[in-house]
Each structure stands twice: as structure tokens, then as C-alpha cells.
Amino acid sequence: MTTTLMIILIAFAFSAALAYMGRGYLAWVSFVAFGIFAWSTAGVNSPTAFKVTIGVYLFFAVLFGITLIRRFIVSAPAMKIVASMLPTIGDTEKIALEAGTVWWDGDLFSGNPDWQKLIDFKIPELNAEEQKFMDGPVEELCAMINDWEIYQARDLSPEVWDFIKKNGFMGMIIPKEYGGLGFSAAAHSAIVTKISSRSIAAAVTVMVPNSLGPGELLIHYGTKEQKDHFLPRLADGTDIPCFALTEPHAGSDAANGRSAGIVCRGSWEGKEVIGINLTFFKPYITLAPIAGVVGLSFNLFDPDNILGENKNPGITCALIPATTSGLILGDRHDPLGVPFMNGTVEGENMFIPADFIIGGIEQAGGGWRMLMESLSAGRGISLPSLSVGGAEVSCRAAGTYALVREQFGLPIGKFEGVRERLGRMAGMAYVMNAARKTTAAAIDAGESPTVISAIVKAYLTDGMRQSMNDAMDVHAGAGISGGPRNIFGRAYTSIPIGITVEGANILTRSLIVFGQGAIRCHPFAYPQVEAIMENDLKAFDKSLFGHINHIVKNSMRAFFLGLSGGMALSAPVGGPEAKHYKRLTRMSSAFALIADFALMTLGGALKRKEYISGRLADAFAWMYLASTALKRFHDEGSPESERPLLDWVMAHALYQIESSLIGVLVNLPNRLAAGVASILAFPLGPRYQPPTDRQVDNAAAALLDEDGIVREMLSREIYIPHASSPGFGALEHALDLITAAGPAIAKVKDARKKGEIEKASMLEMAVAARTADIINDGELGSIKAAEEARDDVVQVDSFAPDVYKTLR
């Protein structure tokens, strides 16, 4: 028995060495072969068993080790089997899969991320021109905005509209040669973040023209004539753009809309031209009610082969001036009361010339490719930036309120129930902004990160929802009473809009983050799919055995890291945070292994197993979010003030990743595969828990610390209103007054403890302390100002009955 065990251990070590040398299939063969020998040595015919074992080993070594033999005997049948398991991939799905680039997400999916690559990646600061714009027009715009008045008027004020247009907010992404600002993705993101902290309606108004739509599509695909005509008009706000994509029957499934265009000949400006007869109805279109030009997505048909032999060129994008005959900009929608412009666009049997197609007639049928290639930038910037603005306002205002508001004689920030919410808000604000900045920097670096953009869209909008809910809990009665004083109520009602648009989060989580991510980010999955589609046996053989090597290496890696908790790994940094890199690498390895087991056992059916793909998406997303938090901490110099936030984020992320992966294994239909994967990925069982009470309390304490370092750091991207502004501005002013009066208040409390004055309200005790010469007139005045401000900010708005009837 001892000899058998030793042989098995030697075989295992030899197999592991082969696996790490990239010979994964030989590693498995050697382990099986030597296992047979070890078992046989327990018998009486060991020499024969040894010969048989060597023979088996050599047979498989030749079969798998010689490429030509392997290709025709193994890979050819395997190719047929895999092809039968894959769902049919249509042209639109193929375009979507090929769109964009793979960046850091590919490292995380590999099971062995190169942390130095992420650390060395530079996130540049805004340039001087961009910072000047932030400090000037953006601050001025935020100061002009009164969100309560926007709601009552159901629109931005004429002065705000004029300011937005004159200062180029509509043309942030348009190059300077066309009159735009030509800003980076980082600047675009920072501007949306700050404006959204003041007004969601204003932020949406600014971000939509700079997201996926006419401007973006014209820049990349427009003809020279189209660019020269439209881009200057879009940049200065002469033409406000909208983009009509979704329909009642095609929301997330935008590729299957019913809007149709028939290629025909018709009269345009007195001449007969090739054109398109369009019929469409598009609801939910932001800025449609005031649009000067409409971007339209529709399915193009050419029954008479006017353009060529293809009778159905497919999805096409056109740019239609609002004055075009037959185009109807319909009534406004009411998106949960949030008063940004949103409505319908429709047309029936309306004629447009073919040169209205973005990119000209040559781009007929090229619309889906345009949309897929351009979607990453807008999806990765607009709603994630808006969400960070909401999360940072939630964190800052709730933290301030917890210092100002008192119950039972104490600031409510002293109570653990409140601190639990504050700790979570602080951690979420930290990681969300880290993900926002990292993603924007990747876009500026030339990446088009389809999967990462989907992650930040889905998980940051959901993070805003969590943070707003927590803030509402902390503010309680002040949070649920509408009026100018209410800080969160109006933004709170907008949350489902961000969750829904630009790809509903349910779809994004299950079908894009992992569904598309599994194909795009996996180092071998898409090459195999491509090889099958092109019937390329050589390419399939290479990717298949590369995939097998990948699985074996990750199996070994996951098992050993599971035993050691990842502590045997090296980290790119020293200090207490080194353990976070190691643990995240361990989770990456476990994720890669379990993802492969899911892909192997479910094949094309995984596309429909959204319970499983959703959990894999959660794990993948939190690996990305956690890695951006690590980068932020490193890039900012590893400050001790931020360590409690990083520790909360990593504890939360590791628990989310591990519990999601275990959820996959518990529910994987192939129980044998699930059992094997469980042993390899989690040999000692689950190891991570949610943030501990200490970690939560440390994060809350950092937010509430009197020095305000963390509070300022977590909110430096948002607008802090003037003290005269009801709600947020008044709350900040109250804290300033309370902080200034702190030493005097401490004297009064000390006198009360010593029995020198009677217990009463703070203001009454302050008067008594002044009478007893415990404090001076100046200190009494500071306490009065602080207590009056404290009293003011806990009040809520009320309205006369006739006024209330007019409120929106």
C-alpha cells in the first residue's frame, strides 16, 4: 500500500509538472497510466503490469502528442460532436460577439491574471482644458440647476437649456474640428457624474447626445458630407439629437424590431432618387420631443434588387432631419415623473433618400455592426457615471446627516444599525468610482471593452439602487417627504430607469456579462467556435487542445490554491493588501475552472440556463470590481485612511464571488462534473464570509471621522451646493457650524456631567453655561447657530392644500 501511494504521488507530481509546461493532455494520460501501474503493483504480476502501463502511456502519448495523428483521429470526430452541441449563431449574434475588444476581463477569465499589467496601466488625470471646463462651466451649470423647479416645470429652465448649448455640453465627444469639445472619455464621465449629483434630468439631457446615437455614429461611420453638415449643428445644440432603436416588441431584443424600410425609387427635391419607404413606431426615445435630427434603426428590404442581389440587407441606421415630411415626433412619456424629454417617434410610408443612411448607401445593412461596435463607449460611461454621482451623494449626505441628526441624546451615526448602512455606502462608493475611472481610462486607451462596459452598466446602476435605499433608511422621515429639502426622493424614483435602459440589467447580467463574456473573454472558446463555423480542422485542433491544457492547468492551480487559500502565490505589492491580490487570483482560478465545467457539460444549453449564467456573471463582475478597487488603492499611494474601505470591498467581493460559484456547483445538472469541480475548486469548502462587524464599523468610522478625509475623498466628484440651497447645501452648512461649535458644546456637556448645570436641551444648557461663565458670548453664539441649523435640517416641507394640488 505504501508503494502504491508513493507511485500515485509521483504520478500526480509528474502530471502537475506536465500541466504547467503546457502539456495538459499528457498530464492526464500520465496520471491515469501510472495510476493503473500503481493499482497493478498490488497484485503478483508487477513486471507485466509495468509493461502494460508503459504501453498504454506510449499509445496515448503518440495519439495525442503527434499533431497529424491527433488531428484526424481525435480532433475531427470531436469537431463534429462540439458542432452538434453549439446553438446556431446568426449573423447578428456573430457581429455582436466580434464587436469590441478584450482587455483586463480576459486576464480575469484566464484563471491567472497578470496583476502587474493592471498596476502598470495608467489612469491619466484630466488635461488642463478639461479641468478648466470642470471648474468653470460644469460648476456654473450645477449652481444654476434647481432640481425641484425642474420637476415643477417638467423641463429644464430656458436659461439652463441655453447655457448647455452655448457651452458645448451637447458636443463633448465631437472632435474640435467640427466645433465640439473633443473631450476624453474620462472627462465625459466626470462631467456626467457631477451633473447627476445635482439633477438626474439635467444629467440625462447632457449624457444622451454624447452616448450611442447620431454623434457617435457619424464620427465613426458618417460620410464627409454628413459629418460636415451635422456635427457642427450637433456640437452647438442647433440640432438636438435622439436615437430611435427600441420598440414595443423589441426592447432588449433590438435586433428583431418591426420597423421596416423598403428600397424604392421616389421623388426628392424635384429629382428621382433611390430611396427608402419607411414605416416605424419607436417609443421610449429620450430627447425625441425636442429633437432636430433623428437617428433611426430599421430593417432594410430590397425586393427589387435595386441595391444589389441581397433582398434583405438587414439592420440599417439613417439620420433624418425632424422637418422631413412624414416624420412624427409624438407625445411625451412620463418616465416615473423624472422630467427629461422622452417620447415617441413614428412614420408611416414616409420616403427618405438613400443617402440619409449613415455612411451612405454603402452602409445599407451595416447598422447592427455600427451599433455593436459603438455601444461599449456609451454603455461604459453614461449610466455608470450617473450611478456614481448618485452613490456619492447618498454616501456624503447620509454620512453628514448621521453626524447632525440626534436621537436619544446621541448622533444617529453612533448606532450600529445606522453604521451598517453607512459602512456599506462607503464601500460601494469607493469601488463604484474605482470601476468608473478604470473603465473610462480603458476606453481612452483605445479599448472597446464590451463585457466590462456591460459589467459597469449593470452592477453600478444596481449599486446606486443599494446606496440610495441605504440613504433613505438613514434619513427616514426626511427622505420620504417631498419638497425642495428632500435630497434623495427625486433621484430615488429614477433608479428603475437606469436599471432598465441600455440593456435591462436582467438581460445584461445573464446574456452579456457571462453569455458573451464566456465566448469573448475565454482564451479558447471563440477560436473553437470560429473554427467550426469555418470548418477549419487545423484551427479547431489547436484551440481544442489549447483548451484542454488550459483546463488541466487551471484544475491543478485551483486545487493547490484551494488548499493554501492562495497564500503560496506571490503578489505584485507588499503590505496588508497583498493578501487581497492572492485571494482574488485564487477566485479567478476557481471561476475559470467552474466556467469550463459549465461550458463542457451544458454546451449551447448554457445560453438558456440563466440561473447558472447569472451566478457566473456575478462572480465575474465582482472580480472586475474588486480588481479596480485594488488598483485605486495602489494608485493613490495605499493611504491608511482608505484601508478600511478596501478591506470592506474585498470581503464583500470575495464572499459574492465564492457564494456565486458554489451556487453554480450546487445547481449544475451534471452532478458528477459538479462533484469533481467542487473538489478541485474548493477542496476545503467555502472560506469567505460577508464583511465582519469590525470591517463594517471601520468603514463607517472612516466616513464619520472628524477629520473628514474619507468623506471628502468619497465625494470629490460631486457638486456640493451652497449653504443657501435647501436640503444638501443646508445640511453641509449645518455640519460646518456644528463642527465649529464642537469645543463649546464639549464644555457644556462636561459642565452637565459635573452637575454645574441642569440637564435640558443643548441651547438651554448653553444659556445656563454662559450665565455660569463656563462659556463666553462667542461660544454661546456658535452653539445657537449650530443648534438652529441642526433644527432646520431635520424639518421637512409642507404645502398649503391649494399649492399641494399643483405640485408635480
Side-chain angles (χ1 to χ4, degrees):
M1 183 63 70
T2 303
T3 303
T4 300
L5 181 60
M6 286 296 296
I7 292 172
I8 291 176
L9 290 174
I10 292 169
F12 194 83
F14 182 57
S15 301
L18 284 171
Y20 277 102
M21 287 188 294
R23 300 296 181 184
Y25 45 90
L26 289 182
W28 281 119
V29 168
S30 66
F31 183 68
V32 171
F34 281 102
I36 293 171
F37 174 66
W39 173 76
S40 300
T41 55
V44 296
N45 198 15
S46 297
T48 302
F50 182 75
K51 292 177 183 178
V52 171
T53 300
I54 294 298
V56 169
Y57 180 79
L58 290 174
F59 171 77
F60 282 106
V62 170
L63 179 63
F64 289 102
I66 299 178
T67 304
L68 286 176
I69 295 175
R70 181 187 71 218
R71 188 178 297 163
F72 289 100
I73 296 179
V74 178
S75 298
M79 187 173 176
K80 294 179 181 178
I81 294 170
V82 175
S84 68
M85 296 171 62
L86 290 176
T88 301
I89 298 178
D91 290 340
T92 55
E93 190 170 7
K94 187 173 185 291
I95 289 169
L97 286 172
E98 292 175 345
T101 59
V102 177
W103 179 58
W104 176 243
D105 43 339
D107 276 73
L108 293 172
F109 213 110
S110 73
N112 188 23
D114 179 1
W115 289 107
Q116 200 61 49
K117 169 183 173 180
L118 183 65
I119 287 176
D120 290 342
F121 176 70
K122 301 300 180 186
I123 299 180
E125 299 294 328
L126 303 186
N127 64 39
E129 183 182 4
E130 292 168 340
Q131 190 60 55
K132 183 178 179 181
F133 191 83
M134 288 291 298
D135 296 338
V138 177
E139 285 286 321
E140 291 178 51
L141 176 61
C142 289
M144 291 175 67
I145 290 170
N146 184 315
D147 199 43
W148 173 252
E149 291 180 357
I150 291 172
Y151 269 70
Q152 302 314 300
R154 311 304 293 153
D155 193 6
L156 308 182
S157 71
E159 294 78 15
V160 169
W161 270 112
D162 186 59
F163 188 87
I164 287 173
K165 293 176 183 179
K166 284 184 176 179
N167 285 276
F169 283 90
M170 294 287 191
M172 290 189 289
I173 66 169
I174 294 175
K176 292 180 180 180
E177 58 262 36
Y178 296 103
L181 297 177
F183 280 170
S184 64
H188 175 190
S189 175
I191 291 165
V192 172
T193 298
K194 180 158 283 193
I195 298 173
S196 67
S197 72
R198 187 64 165 150
S199 168
I200 297 296
V204 170
T205 301
V206 168
M207 79 186 193
V208 167
N210 294 286
S211 188
L212 177 64
E216 177 86 5
L217 296 177
L218 281 170
I219 291 167
H220 296 294
Y221 307 102
T223 64
K224 183 179 186 305
E225 293 77 12
Q226 289 171 340
K227 292 179 180 179
D228 289 344
H229 175 74
F230 284 109
L231 288 179
R233 298 172 64 84
L234 294 174
D236 66 11
T238 299
D239 283 337
I240 293 175
C242 72
F243 190 74
L245 174 62
T246 53
E247 303 176 10
H249 301 283
S252 297
D253 187 16
N256 288 307
R258 298 182 181 181
S259 297
I262 310 296
V263 178
C264 60
R265 298 183 186 277
S267 177
W268 184 260
E269 296 180 347
K271 298 179 182 179
E272 182 177 296
V273 298
I274 296 174
I276 304 167
N277 184 283
L278 285 167
T279 296
F280 58 92
F281 177 70
K282 302 276 191 175
Y284 328 124
I285 310 304
T286 299
L287 299 183
I290 55 170
V293 62
V294 175
L296 181 71
S297 170
F298 58 92
N299 204 355
L300 183 65
F301 298 90
D302 186 12
D304 298 326
N305 297 118
I306 295 173
L307 300 182
E309 296 182 1
N310 188 354
K311 291 184 179 294
N312 180 201
I315 295 171
T316 301
C317 294
L319 208 55
I320 308 173
T323 55
T324 303
S325 177
L327 180 65
I328 301 171
L329 302 179
D331 294 334
R332 286 182 70 175
H333 295 306
D334 181 21
L336 290 179
V338 185
F340 59 86
M341 290 290 175
N342 186 275
T344 62
V345 179
E346 59 183 301
E348 184 173 358
N349 293 321
M350 64 172 289
F351 180 81
I352 63 170
D355 60 11
F356 276 19
I357 297 173
I358 296 176
I361 200 167
E362 293 79 9
Q363 289 293 340
W368 188 247
R369 178 177 54 81
M370 292 181 188
L371 295 174
M372 292 301 98
E373 290 176 351
S374 301
L375 186 61
S376 296
R379 182 184 273 164
I381 294 172
S382 297
L383 288 169
S385 304
L386 182 148
S387 299
V388 169
E392 289 196 353
V393 167
S394 299
C395 185
R396 172 100 180 201
T400 303
Y401 193 75
L403 292 167
V404 171
R405 174 70 161 160
E406 292 186 341
Q407 291 287 274
F408 308 104
L410 292 171
I412 62 172
K414 297 288 187 181
F415 296 96
E416 289 185 352
V418 172
R419 293 172 80 87
E420 181 180 12
R421 267 68 170 182
L422 295 175
R424 181 162 56 202
M425 279 189 279
M428 288 303 298
Y430 188 79
V431 69
M432 287 171 65
N433 198 35
R436 175 191 73 83
K437 294 184 71 173
T438 304
T439 305
I443 293 170
D444 280 328
E447 299 290 342
S448 181
T450 306
V451 176
I452 286 176
S453 292
I455 288 173
V456 292
K457 185 275 165 181
Y459 289 81
L460 267 58
T461 54
D462 198 62
M464 176 184 174
R465 172 163 54 186
Q466 179 66 71
S467 294
M468 282 280 180
N469 280 336
D470 285 338
M472 292 287 279
D473 285 350
V474 171
H475 278 243
I480 62 173
S481 300
R485 294 170 177 265
N486 190 299
I487 300 172
F488 306 116
R490 295 179 296 279
Y492 184 79
T493 60
S494 76
I495 291 171
I497 301 170
I499 298 290
T500 302
V501 301
E502 292 192 4
N505 282 7
I506 290 175
L507 169 138
T508 301
R509 172 178 178 255
S510 298
L511 298 184
I512 300 179
V513 172
F514 184 77
Q516 192 167 343
I519 302 298
R520 291 292 284 129
C521 300
H522 193 290
F524 298 101
Y526 194 59
Q528 287 174 252
V529 172
E530 279 188 311
I532 290 171
M533 289 191 295
E534 297 170 8
N535 198 30
D536 187 339
L537 179 59
K538 182 179 180 181
F540 179 79
D541 174 79
K542 181 180 180 180
S543 59
L544 173 64
F545 282 90
H547 195 167
I548 292 171
N549 289 337
H550 175 73
I551 292 171
V552 174
K553 290 170 71 174
N554 266 328
S555 298
M556 300 292 181
R557 170 180 285 272
F559 183 73
F560 286 123
L561 295 183
L563 290 175
S564 67
M567 290 300 103
L569 291 167
S570 61
V573 300
E577 64 270 25
K579 64 179 180 290
H580 297 317
Y581 290 89
K582 297 177 181 181
R583 290 169 178 172
L584 205 51
T585 297
R586 184 215 161 190
M587 286 294 98
S588 172
S589 184
F591 168 82
L593 176 68
I594 292 168
D596 267 320
F597 270 70
L599 287 166
M600 286 189 300
T601 58
L602 292 172
L606 181 57
K607 188 175 181 179
R608 299 184 296 277
K609 297 290 186 180
E610 294 181 31
Y611 295 139
I612 289 174
S613 64
R615 292 186 183 97
L616 287 166
D618 291 340
F620 193 26
W622 274 104
M623 285 195 297
Y624 177 70
L625 296 176
S627 68
T628 66
L630 286 172
K631 177 165 179 58
R632 175 178 183 173
F633 187 75
H634 173 270
D635 288 355
E636 293 182 0
S638 305
E640 285 302 313
S641 60
E642 296 180 20
R643 192 175 299 282
L645 305 180
L646 179 68
D647 288 344
W648 184 95
V649 169
M650 295 308 301
H652 179 76
L654 289 167
Y655 176 71
Q656 293 295 322
I657 296 164
E658 184 181 67
S659 59
S660 296
L661 294 178
I662 289 174
V664 172
L665 295 173
V666 168
N667 292 281
L668 199 65
N670 189 316
R671 300 312 303 151
L672 176 60
V676 173
S678 296
I679 292 171
L680 292 172
F682 302 109
L684 301 179
R687 301 185 59 151
Y688 301 121
Q689 297 297 323
T692 64
D693 291 351
R694 180 185 293 275
Q695 288 170 326
V696 171
D697 200 69
N698 287 345
L703 176 63
L704 298 174
D705 198 299
E706 290 181 0
D707 63 18
I709 293 174
V710 169
R711 198 165 67 94
E712 292 295 329
M713 178 271 297
L714 287 176
S715 54
R716 58 192 174 208
E717 285 78 21
I718 64 174
Y719 178 76
I720 307 298
H722 187 268
S724 61
S725 179
F728 195 9
L731 179 61
E732 286 290 316
H733 182 58
L735 180 60
D736 290 342
L737 293 175
I738 291 168
T739 301
I745 291 173
K747 288 182 181 181
V748 172
K749 289 182 176 180
D750 185 60
R752 166 68 188 91
K753 287 179 182 179
K754 292 178 179 178
E756 297 173 350
I757 56 176
E758 296 294 323
K759 182 179 180 180
S761 70
M762 176 52 65
L763 195 52
E764 291 172 326
M765 290 192 296
V767 171
R770 176 67 192 97
T771 302
D773 282 330
I774 297 170
I775 59 175
N776 59 36
D777 288 338
E779 291 172 320
L780 176 60
S782 69
I783 292 175
K784 283 184 177 179
E787 292 305 306
E788 288 171 0
R790 191 197 305 271
D791 179 67
D792 177 67
V793 297
V794 299
Q795 305 301 322
V796 297
D797 295 292
S798 59
F799 307 92
D802 57 332
V803 174
Y804 181 77
K805 291 178 182 179
T806 68
L807 297 181
R808 307 292 183 91

